[in-house]
Amino acid sequence: VRPPEAGEVLYRRALGLLREADEITAEIKSGNTDIVVSVGLTTTVSLHLMAPLVRAVNARFPKVKLRIVEGMTGYLCEWLERGQIDLAVLYNVRSSSTFVCDELLQEDLYLISERGRGWSGKDVALARISGVPLGLSTSSHGVRKTIDGFFAKEGLMANITLEVDSVVHLKALVIAGTHSTILPRTAVREEVEKGLLVAQRIVDPALRLSVVIARARERRLIGVTERIYEITRTMAQDVLCSPLVQDDP
């Protein structure tokens, strides 16, 4: 049985107020020792952001327990709305009645292929990709929604023959030569450097993702949680915009 919409709104707001009260009480009583802050990261973002973020938070708040939750954008949005996580770095989510979002950067999407496959050159037109057998994530992933939207806008049909909700397994399948895929280059930087994969920027039109940091609108971030939100925002911009992450092959 699904409660009325007004009931859901009241429940989420009440849950947020209870968590705010818990945080304030924990800070007053224990000087941060009982505070848990949950941060959601998409898989492609976590590959580069998790380690530096953990180091930065531990250095600033050594007594705070940081909980990192990795998942697809769709799942992270649900958990954020329910109050199961405090903040999240997501793809292509806009501010709404549910979320408050700040854009961090824009990322290009690339055709990712096994070494020796694909076309020559650093770029490839979207129209040429339409016949390529693709393995993609399901529609719960922000990257997939963007890809579907671009193909539809251009009147093209992607040849999607496999769906896998795991970036790690998608990359393994591409290395094995079964499929190509479409991902931000940040997701495959190490494999490209090792010569296992080839990344070609998609153009005509360019496919870009908006990377945002989000929180639930109905829950204010206070105290340590607010400061960790700011640390996450700064670290995400610094790390994901770094030449070490964004450099082209």
mmCIF file of all heavy atoms in Angstrom, residues 119-146:
data_model
loop_
_atom_site.group_PDB
_atom_site.id
_atom_site.type_symbol
_atom_site.label_atom_id
_atom_site.label_comp_id
_atom_site.label_asym_id
_atom_site.label_seq_id
_atom_site.Cartn_x
_atom_site.Cartn_y
_atom_site.Cartn_z
ATOM 1 N N TRP A 119 37.315 2.853 -35.384
ATOM 2 C CA TRP A 119 37.857 3.645 -36.478
ATOM 3 C C TRP A 119 39.099 4.386 -36.012
ATOM 4 O O TRP A 119 39.361 4.537 -34.821
ATOM 5 C CB TRP A 119 36.808 4.657 -36.945
ATOM 6 C CG TRP A 119 35.564 4.011 -37.483
ATOM 7 C CD1 TRP A 119 35.339 3.596 -38.760
ATOM 8 C CD2 TRP A 119 34.378 3.695 -36.755
ATOM 9 N NE1 TRP A 119 34.087 3.041 -38.880
ATOM 10 C CE2 TRP A 119 33.462 3.092 -37.671
ATOM 11 C CE3 TRP A 119 33.967 3.854 -35.434
ATOM 12 C CZ2 TRP A 119 32.199 2.671 -37.299
ATOM 13 C CZ3 TRP A 119 32.714 3.427 -35.053
ATOM 14 C CH2 TRP A 119 31.840 2.839 -35.980
ATOM 15 N N SER A 120 39.879 4.863 -36.976
ATOM 16 C CA SER A 120 41.064 5.642 -36.643
ATOM 17 C C SER A 120 40.638 7.048 -36.228
ATOM 18 O O SER A 120 39.541 7.505 -36.559
ATOM 19 C CB SER A 120 41.998 5.716 -37.845
ATOM 20 O OG SER A 120 41.348 6.331 -38.950
ATOM 21 N N GLY A 121 41.484 7.719 -35.513
ATOM 22 C CA GLY A 121 41.201 9.083 -35.083
ATOM 23 C C GLY A 121 40.725 9.164 -33.648
ATOM 24 O O GLY A 121 40.292 8.177 -33.046
ATOM 25 N N LYS A 122 40.791 10.383 -33.105
ATOM 26 C CA LYS A 122 40.408 10.598 -31.713
ATOM 27 C C LYS A 122 38.907 10.764 -31.543
ATOM 28 O O LYS A 122 38.381 10.593 -30.445
ATOM 29 C CB LYS A 122 41.121 11.845 -31.171
ATOM 30 C CG LYS A 122 42.641 11.709 -31.091
ATOM 31 C CD LYS A 122 43.298 13.016 -30.708
ATOM 32 C CE LYS A 122 42.888 13.463 -29.323
ATOM 33 N NZ LYS A 122 43.596 14.691 -28.888
ATOM 34 N N ASP A 123 38.208 11.117 -32.624
ATOM 35 C CA ASP A 123 36.774 11.367 -32.552
ATOM 36 C C ASP A 123 36.012 10.404 -33.458
ATOM 37 O O ASP A 123 36.552 9.874 -34.425
ATOM 38 C CB ASP A 123 36.450 12.805 -32.980
ATOM 39 C CG ASP A 123 37.136 13.851 -32.118
ATOM 40 O OD1 ASP A 123 37.448 13.544 -30.942
ATOM 41 O OD2 ASP A 123 37.356 14.970 -32.614
ATOM 42 N N VAL A 124 34.723 10.218 -33.148
ATOM 43 C CA VAL A 124 33.863 9.397 -33.989
ATOM 44 C C VAL A 124 32.465 10.013 -33.968
ATOM 45 O O VAL A 124 31.968 10.425 -32.918
ATOM 46 C CB VAL A 124 33.830 7.922 -33.513
ATOM 47 C CG1 VAL A 124 33.356 7.822 -32.077
ATOM 48 C CG2 VAL A 124 32.966 7.082 -34.430
ATOM 49 N N ALA A 125 31.831 10.107 -35.141
ATOM 50 C CA ALA A 125 30.504 10.697 -35.240
ATOM 51 C C ALA A 125 29.449 9.752 -34.669
ATOM 52 O O ALA A 125 29.545 8.529 -34.815
ATOM 53 C CB ALA A 125 30.185 11.032 -36.700
ATOM 54 N N LEU A 126 28.432 10.329 -34.044
ATOM 55 C CA LEU A 126 27.376 9.532 -33.435
ATOM 56 C C LEU A 126 26.701 8.621 -34.455
ATOM 57 O O LEU A 126 26.379 7.467 -34.147
ATOM 58 C CB LEU A 126 26.336 10.459 -32.795
ATOM 59 C CG LEU A 126 25.173 9.776 -32.061
ATOM 60 C CD1 LEU A 126 25.686 8.999 -30.850
ATOM 61 C CD2 LEU A 126 24.134 10.805 -31.616
ATOM 62 N N ALA A 127 26.509 9.109 -35.681
ATOM 63 C CA ALA A 127 25.822 8.314 -36.704
ATOM 64 C C ALA A 127 26.579 7.030 -37.017
ATOM 65 O O ALA A 127 25.968 6.001 -37.342
ATOM 66 C CB ALA A 127 25.642 9.141 -37.976
ATOM 67 N N ARG A 128 27.901 7.048 -36.925
ATOM 68 C CA ARG A 128 28.693 5.855 -37.229
ATOM 69 C C ARG A 128 28.557 4.790 -36.142
ATOM 70 O O ARG A 128 28.771 3.606 -36.393
ATOM 71 C CB ARG A 128 30.167 6.225 -37.401
ATOM 72 C CG ARG A 128 30.447 7.214 -38.522
ATOM 73 C CD ARG A 128 31.922 7.402 -38.757
ATOM 74 N NE ARG A 128 32.533 6.242 -39.393
ATOM 75 C CZ ARG A 128 33.818 6.171 -39.734
ATOM 76 N NH1 ARG A 128 34.636 7.180 -39.456
ATOM 77 N NH2 ARG A 128 34.300 5.096 -40.307
ATOM 78 N N ILE A 129 28.192 5.230 -34.947
ATOM 79 C CA ILE A 129 28.095 4.294 -33.822
ATOM 80 C C ILE A 129 26.803 3.487 -33.867
ATOM 81 O O ILE A 129 26.714 2.411 -33.269
ATOM 82 C CB ILE A 129 28.177 5.070 -32.490
ATOM 83 C CG1 ILE A 129 29.522 5.791 -32.385
ATOM 84 C CG2 ILE A 129 28.003 4.151 -31.284
ATOM 85 C CD1 ILE A 129 29.617 6.709 -31.188
ATOM 86 N N SER A 130 25.794 3.964 -34.593
ATOM 87 C CA SER A 130 24.465 3.357 -34.517
ATOM 88 C C SER A 130 24.450 1.877 -34.899
ATOM 89 O O SER A 130 23.567 1.136 -34.463
ATOM 90 C CB SER A 130 23.480 4.130 -35.394
ATOM 91 O OG SER A 130 23.904 4.145 -36.749
ATOM 92 N N GLY A 131 25.417 1.423 -35.685
ATOM 93 C CA GLY A 131 25.445 0.018 -36.063
ATOM 94 C C GLY A 131 26.357 -0.842 -35.213
ATOM 95 O O GLY A 131 26.430 -2.066 -35.402
ATOM 96 N N VAL A 132 27.055 -0.226 -34.273
ATOM 97 C CA VAL A 132 28.021 -0.942 -33.440
ATOM 98 C C VAL A 132 27.293 -1.683 -32.310
ATOM 99 O O VAL A 132 26.485 -1.086 -31.589
ATOM 100 C CB VAL A 132 29.043 0.038 -32.834
ATOM 101 C CG1 VAL A 132 29.991 -0.693 -31.881
ATOM 102 C CG2 VAL A 132 29.819 0.753 -33.925
ATOM 103 N N PRO A 133 27.543 -2.988 -32.117
ATOM 104 C CA PRO A 133 26.941 -3.703 -30.977
ATOM 105 C C PRO A 133 27.433 -3.115 -29.657
ATOM 106 O O PRO A 133 28.626 -3.094 -29.383
ATOM 107 C CB PRO A 133 27.424 -5.141 -31.160
ATOM 108 C CG PRO A 133 27.838 -5.240 -32.592
ATOM 109 C CD PRO A 133 28.344 -3.884 -32.968
ATOM 110 N N LEU A 134 26.504 -2.604 -28.873
ATOM 111 C CA LEU A 134 26.862 -1.917 -27.642
ATOM 112 C C LEU A 134 26.392 -2.673 -26.415
ATOM 113 O O LEU A 134 25.294 -3.230 -26.386
ATOM 114 C CB LEU A 134 26.223 -0.514 -27.616
ATOM 115 C CG LEU A 134 26.716 0.510 -28.633
ATOM 116 C CD1 LEU A 134 25.870 1.781 -28.543
ATOM 117 C CD2 LEU A 134 28.187 0.834 -28.426
ATOM 118 N N GLY A 135 27.219 -2.672 -25.403
ATOM 119 C CA GLY A 135 26.819 -3.092 -24.072
ATOM 120 C C GLY A 135 26.722 -1.847 -23.216
ATOM 121 O O GLY A 135 27.694 -1.089 -23.100
ATOM 122 N N LEU A 136 25.549 -1.597 -22.647
ATOM 123 C CA LEU A 136 25.330 -0.397 -21.850
ATOM 124 C C LEU A 136 24.687 -0.759 -20.514
ATOM 125 O O LEU A 136 24.174 -1.860 -20.335
ATOM 126 C CB LEU A 136 24.417 0.595 -22.597
ATOM 127 C CG LEU A 136 24.916 1.146 -23.935
ATOM 128 C CD1 LEU A 136 23.850 2.055 -24.543
ATOM 129 C CD2 LEU A 136 26.228 1.896 -23.777
ATOM 130 N N SER A 137 24.711 0.201 -19.611
ATOM 131 C CA SER A 137 23.981 0.026 -18.356
ATOM 132 C C SER A 137 22.488 0.129 -18.626
ATOM 133 O O SER A 137 22.057 0.531 -19.710
ATOM 134 C CB SER A 137 24.409 1.111 -17.361
ATOM 135 O OG SER A 137 24.130 2.392 -17.893
ATOM 136 N N THR A 138 21.668 -0.237 -17.649
ATOM 137 C CA THR A 138 20.223 -0.124 -17.797
ATOM 138 C C THR A 138 19.807 1.335 -17.608
ATOM 139 O O THR A 138 20.613 2.199 -17.258
ATOM 140 C CB THR A 138 19.491 -1.004 -16.774
ATOM 141 O OG1 THR A 138 19.808 -0.541 -15.450
ATOM 142 C CG2 THR A 138 19.923 -2.456 -16.914
ATOM 143 N N SER A 139 18.527 1.596 -17.815
ATOM 144 C CA SER A 139 18.028 2.971 -17.795
ATOM 145 C C SER A 139 18.047 3.601 -16.409
ATOM 146 O O SER A 139 17.750 4.788 -16.267
ATOM 147 C CB SER A 139 16.604 3.022 -18.362
ATOM 148 O OG SER A 139 15.747 2.177 -17.633
ATOM 149 N N SER A 140 18.380 2.833 -15.369
ATOM 150 C CA SER A 140 18.494 3.419 -14.034
ATOM 151 C C SER A 140 19.772 4.235 -13.882
ATOM 152 O O SER A 140 19.937 4.963 -12.910
ATOM 153 C CB SER A 140 18.460 2.319 -12.968
ATOM 154 O OG SER A 140 19.553 1.439 -13.114
ATOM 155 N N HIS A 141 20.674 4.116 -14.815
ATOM 156 C CA HIS A 141 21.951 4.809 -14.785
ATOM 157 C C HIS A 141 21.830 6.129 -15.537
ATOM 158 O O HIS A 141 21.291 6.188 -16.637
ATOM 159 C CB HIS A 141 23.027 3.931 -15.434
ATOM 160 C CG HIS A 141 24.430 4.314 -15.067
ATOM 161 N ND1 HIS A 141 24.911 5.590 -15.228
ATOM 162 C CD2 HIS A 141 25.465 3.596 -14.560
ATOM 163 C CE1 HIS A 141 26.177 5.634 -14.845
ATOM 164 N NE2 HIS A 141 26.533 4.437 -14.411
ATOM 165 N N GLY A 142 22.360 7.213 -14.960
ATOM 166 C CA GLY A 142 22.292 8.525 -15.589
ATOM 167 C C GLY A 142 22.973 8.579 -16.941
ATOM 168 O O GLY A 142 22.530 9.285 -17.851
ATOM 169 N N VAL A 143 24.069 7.827 -17.109
ATOM 170 C CA VAL A 143 24.769 7.809 -18.397
ATOM 171 C C VAL A 143 23.857 7.231 -19.478
ATOM 172 O O VAL A 143 23.765 7.763 -20.586
ATOM 173 C CB VAL A 143 26.076 6.991 -18.300
ATOM 174 C CG1 VAL A 143 26.744 6.884 -19.662
ATOM 175 C CG2 VAL A 143 27.030 7.627 -17.296
ATOM 176 N N ARG A 144 23.152 6.144 -19.159
ATOM 177 C CA ARG A 144 22.287 5.504 -20.149
ATOM 178 C C ARG A 144 21.157 6.433 -20.581
ATOM 179 O O ARG A 144 20.809 6.506 -21.777
ATOM 180 C CB ARG A 144 21.728 4.208 -19.570
ATOM 181 C CG ARG A 144 20.657 3.535 -20.435
ATOM 182 C CD ARG A 144 21.190 3.093 -21.810
ATOM 183 N NE ARG A 144 20.108 2.546 -22.616
ATOM 184 C CZ ARG A 144 19.687 1.285 -22.539
ATOM 185 N NH1 ARG A 144 20.257 0.440 -21.695
ATOM 186 N NH2 ARG A 144 18.706 0.869 -23.311
ATOM 187 N N LYS A 145 20.560 7.126 -19.653
ATOM 188 C CA LYS A 145 19.483 8.047 -19.996
ATOM 189 C C LYS A 145 19.969 9.126 -20.952
ATOM 190 O O LYS A 145 19.264 9.507 -21.895
ATOM 191 C CB LYS A 145 18.920 8.683 -18.721
ATOM 192 C CG LYS A 145 18.164 7.712 -17.827
ATOM 193 C CD LYS A 145 17.654 8.399 -16.581
ATOM 194 C CE LYS A 145 16.895 7.423 -15.685
ATOM 195 N NZ LYS A 145 16.419 8.069 -14.435
ATOM 196 N N THR A 146 21.167 9.613 -20.736
ATOM 197 C CA THR A 146 21.734 10.629 -21.622
ATOM 198 C C THR A 146 21.970 10.065 -23.012
ATOM 199 O O THR A 146 21.654 10.716 -24.027
ATOM 200 C CB THR A 146 23.056 11.154 -21.037
ATOM 201 O OG1 THR A 146 22.807 11.727 -19.751
ATOM 202 C CG2 THR A 146 23.675 12.208 -21.941
#
